[in-house]
Amino acid sequence: MIYHSDYQDYLFNRSEVAALLESAGYPLQALSKDQGKREGEPPEWMRIYAAKSALRVHEAAWVINGKEPPESCPRSTVYDLNIRRTLQAIVDSVKLGDIETKNTDWHIDEEPQTWLVSHQSVIDWCGSVGYEWPLSQFMKPPQVEGETSIASPQHVNHQDKDRLHEEIATLRQEVAELRATVEELRKSVPLHPGSLMGMAIQAQHRYWGNPEESRPKSEVIIQELRKEYGITGAQASAVDKVACPINRNKGS
């Protein structure tokens, strides 16, 4: 080295430096103890990410594959196929609502690299699709209000596991049925509420909830429709005819 600052351009073997200092009467006992304590332990980044309540989408993908996440999501050509597939699965699940996102000032719907996802939601998703969450060993199980403690997975017996699997299967079935119901309900919503068809659907809800008990007169409905929507008499009459579920001419 020519100048004192040249040290930053050189690399030193840590063990050789420790041996040299020890031979000179300055053993690095604290260093050797700390080194021995850390042997065989998981990397420190796992503990750091386990403490986070939310993760970036790319961070979750890297963690699932057991690798330390980069500071930002690199281009797809940089990382391996498994991570790319995991990342795409997470993005798709976020879009479907299976993974909860936390909206932030920099969250942009069309840019997954800006998404912040709930840590617990990612863990739940991993369990539902068969992924193992590498950070579980550092995390406490979620505490349920009113319970003092929750049994660890190794203490859950087979009966409890079977019961939990049945409950999960039942809940999934209920969710599927609810989604199907929502889709059916969407079909009954008018695409253009301001159109005559939209008015007819609203009029049917308002006047014809129970045709057996209540049969409002056509003149009353037409007058109210004209007043509310500002439409002509002919238009109001057309709306009334479409909304009416009975044949007034037969009186039934």
Side-chain angles (χ1 to χ4, degrees):
M1 292 187 293
I2 300 176
Y3 299 103
H4 183 269
S5 60
D6 287 345
Y7 78 89
Q8 63 186 5
D9 297 324
Y10 292 85
L11 298 176
F12 300 93
N13 187 304
R14 187 176 185 140
S15 59
E16 291 180 0
V17 173
L20 178 63
L21 290 174
E22 186 171 0
S23 65
Y26 300 97
L28 299 180
Q29 296 179 356
L31 175 63
S32 60
K33 286 181 181 179
D34 182 65
Q35 197 107 4
K37 181 180 178 182
R38 293 182 178 275
E39 286 182 3
E41 288 189 1
E44 186 63 22
W45 68 264
M46 286 190 168
R47 298 182 185 277
I48 295 173
Y49 279 92
K52 290 188 173 186
S53 62
L55 303 168
R56 291 288 169 205
V57 170
H58 79 275
E59 291 175 337
W62 260 260
V63 169
I64 289 175
N65 285 273
K67 297 182 179 181
E68 181 177 5
E71 291 185 6
S72 59
C73 186
R75 295 180 179 179
S76 59
T77 55
V78 176
Y79 49 94
D80 63 41
L81 181 61
N82 286 337
I83 293 181
R84 187 157 63 247
R85 287 174 173 171
T86 305
L87 180 59
Q88 188 58 55
I90 294 173
V91 170
D92 291 343
S93 296
V94 169
K95 291 179 179 179
L96 291 172
D98 296 331
I99 297 179
E100 175 190 350
T101 60
K102 293 180 175 292
N103 288 331
T104 62
D105 292 339
W106 56 86
H107 177 104
I108 303 174
D109 291 341
E110 295 79 16
E111 298 180 12
Q113 67 269 21
T114 67
W115 296 352
L116 195 66
V117 294
S118 162
H119 196 151
Q120 186 58 49
S121 182
V122 174
I123 295 174
D124 296 339
W125 176 79
C126 284
S128 66
V129 298
Y131 278 125
E132 181 181 351
W133 188 243
L135 307 183
S136 298
Q137 57 183 313
F138 306 109
M139 305 175 69
K140 294 181 180 180
Q143 191 75 22
V144 178
E145 187 176 354
E147 294 184 4
T148 55
S149 63
I150 299 177
S152 57
Q154 58 266 32
H155 293 137
V156 177
N157 57 42
H158 290 294
Q159 278 187 331
D160 290 336
K161 287 183 179 179
D162 291 340
R163 177 177 56 79
L164 289 173
H165 284 306
E166 290 178 2
E167 291 180 358
I168 291 173
T170 301
L171 290 173
R172 285 179 177 170
Q173 180 63 29
E174 291 179 358
V175 169
E177 292 175 357
L178 289 172
R179 285 179 175 173
T181 301
V182 170
E183 289 303 317
E184 288 298 320
L185 291 174
R186 283 178 178 172
K187 295 177 182 178
S188 65
V189 176
L191 295 178
H192 309 285
S195 66
L196 296 182
M197 179 59 73
M199 297 176 192
I201 292 175
Q202 294 177 11
Q204 193 168 75
H205 280 290
R206 181 185 304 174
Y207 300 107
W208 297 103
N210 189 343
E212 298 300 324
E213 295 182 2
S214 175
R215 298 187 178 187
K217 292 183 179 182
S218 179
E219 295 79 8
V220 174
I221 295 177
I222 291 174
Q223 184 177 358
E224 291 185 0
L225 289 173
R226 293 189 63 183
K227 182 178 180 181
E228 180 174 353
Y229 296 108
I231 56 180
T232 65
Q235 290 173 324
S237 178
V239 170
D240 172 61
K241 289 179 180 179
V242 173
C244 180
I246 64 173
N247 188 340
R248 282 198 177 97
N249 295 330
K250 292 184 178 181
S252 59

